Amino acid sequence: MTRYVALLRGINVNGITIAMADLADTFHDLGYTDVKTVLASGNVIFSIDSPLVDKADAAALKARIEGALTARFEYEAWIVLVDAESLDRIVRAYPFDTDRDGWHPYVMFSSDPGHLSELAGHRKELEAAEERIELGHGVLYWEVRKSVGIKSAFSKKSAKLKYRDTTTTRNLHTLHKLLELTPG
C-alpha cells in the first residue's frame, strides 16, 4: 500500500462547494482505501494497492481523479498529487522558522515547475520585513507576516490568472496534519 495526498485547487471558494463526505465517497468509488479528508480546503489522503513506478503512472492517476471530480461535482478539477514520503521531505525542508511569531508558513505546489521558477524570480522584489520566498524541490516556500497576508506583493503576483490553474498553496500546519494521518 502506498499513501498519497491529493491537494485540490479552488474548492469551497468562488461558488465551488463540495462536502468532504462527498469528496471522500468519490475517492472510495475510484477504489482507493483508507480515505480521509482534512479541513474543507480539499485535502484528501488515500491509499492505493501498488506504488506508482514512473511519471506516466502518476499522471494517469492524477487524470483519473480529476476526471472523477469533474464528472461528479461539475467543475474543472485540478489537483496536485504527492506521495506521503515526498510530502514529508517537503515539510522537513521548509527553510524558514516554522514557529515565527506573527508569520504564516506556506508551501506552494504546482503542476508547472516553470511557474514556480517564474514566481521565485520575484524574490528580490519582495520586502523581507513582510515576506520571503525560496524555491524548493518541486515547491515554493513562502512566509508572510500575518498582518500583511493576502495583501502582500507575492500574494498578488501568485494570484494572477496565469497561475490559478497550476498552483495551490497550503499552510505548513495543514501539511503537518496531513502527515499525522499518513503513518508509515
Side-chain angles (χ1 to χ4, degrees):
M1 286 284 189
T2 304
R3 296 289 278 166
Y4 287 91
V5 177
L7 305 172
L8 283 69
R9 169 72 171 96
I11 71 161
N12 294 333
V13 294
N14 300 324
I16 301 169
T17 304
I18 298 175
M20 292 302 99
D22 294 337
L23 182 58
D25 287 346
T26 303
F27 279 74
H28 283 293
D29 292 347
L30 288 168
Y32 307 132
T33 58
D34 303 319
V35 177
K36 293 183 176 101
T37 61
V38 178
L39 304 175
S41 56
N43 306 293
V44 184
I45 304 164
F46 63 99
S47 295
I48 62 172
D49 290 330
S50 59
L52 300 179
V53 293
D54 61 24
K55 288 184 178 182
D57 290 341
L61 178 60
K62 179 180 181 299
R64 182 173 187 237
I65 293 168
E66 289 171 340
L69 294 171
T70 297
R72 180 159 185 177
F73 301 110
E74 299 178 342
Y75 84 106
E76 189 175 346
W78 179 82
I79 68 166
V80 168
L81 185 65
V82 61
D83 64 86
E85 192 175 302
S86 296
L87 183 61
D88 183 59
R89 280 193 303 274
I90 289 165
V91 168
R92 284 188 286 112
Y94 191 80
F96 309 120
D97 179 357
T98 60
D99 297 314
R100 190 173 181 188
D101 191 39
W103 290 73
H104 285 299
Y106 291 113
V107 179
M108 178 180 282
F109 297 84
S110 181
S111 62
D112 184 338
H115 280 175
L116 291 178
S117 295
E118 189 175 305
L119 286 165
H122 295 291
R123 181 179 181 182
K124 293 179 182 178
E125 301 167 22
L126 304 179
E127 178 59 50
E130 294 182 356
E131 63 186 333
R132 295 188 294 175
I133 58 174
E134 186 169 315
L135 192 59
H137 184 72
V139 297
L140 187 65
Y141 297 106
W142 174 36
E143 73 167 356
V144 62
R145 188 179 291 282
K146 287 180 181 179
S147 62
V148 177
I150 62 171
K151 297 175 190 161
S152 81
F154 182 74
S155 182
K156 290 175 184 174
K157 289 178 187 310
S158 64
K160 289 182 179 178
L161 185 60
K162 174 180 185 175
Y163 306 117
R164 198 170 296 158
D165 292 339
T166 63
T167 61
T168 190
T169 302
R170 292 297 186 275
N171 189 293
L172 189 68
H173 302 302
T174 299
L175 298 177
H176 279 290
K177 287 178 188 176
L178 292 168
L179 288 171
E180 289 170 11
L181 296 171
T182 57

